[in-house]
């Protein structure tokens, strides 16, 4: 279940300033989805994850929901919500 201020993980340096501006109460982490240190997080990636990555995550017990291509301000990204099995 999504908490009030879930962790946000981003893989693009352009995203960091925008995320800090719009989501000051969230913990924001630079890196790929393996960088998350919580069971539930939003993942912002400059390119879509390939099917193999998603299958590997799901086989390891991580639920992945793709929200497709999004944009904050002038910065496009692909948004995923991920939740690791406890």
């Amino acid at each position: 279940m999504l908490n009030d201020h879930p962790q946000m993980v981003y893989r693009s340096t352009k995203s960091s300033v925008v995320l800090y501006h719009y989501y000051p109460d969230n913990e924001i982490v630079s890196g790929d989805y393996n960088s998350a240190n919580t069971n539930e997080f939003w993942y912002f990636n400059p390119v879509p994850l390939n099917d193999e990555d998603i299958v590997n995550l799901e086989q390891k017990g991580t639920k992945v929901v793709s929200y497709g291509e999004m944009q904050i301000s002038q910065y496009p990204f692909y948004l995923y919500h991920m939740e690791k099995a406890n």
Side-chain angles (χ1 to χ4, degrees), residues 16-68:
S16 64
V17 173
V18 174
L19 290 176
Y20 284 112
H21 176 78
Y22 286 103
Y23 302 100
D25 295 329
N26 293 66
E27 180 182 2
I28 299 171
V29 176
S30 174
D32 68 7
Y33 47 80
N34 293 309
S35 302
N37 56 21
T38 62
N39 288 340
E40 178 187 9
F41 59 95
W42 290 97
Y43 180 54
F44 298 75
N45 202 42
V47 296
L49 292 176
N50 63 47
D51 292 338
E52 184 178 325
D53 287 336
I54 292 172
V55 167
N56 287 336
L57 283 162
E58 291 176 342
Q59 287 176 343
K60 293 177 182 177
T62 299
K63 181 180 176 186
V64 179
V65 178
S66 173
Y67 287 86

Side-chain angles (χ1 to χ4, degrees), residues 69-85:
E69 188 172 15
M70 303 282 182
Q71 187 168 332
I72 297 177
S73 184
Q74 63 190 26
Y75 304 106
F77 56 87
Y78 289 83
L79 181 62
Y80 300 88
H81 181 259
M82 298 189 183
E83 191 168 348
K84 299 176 188 175

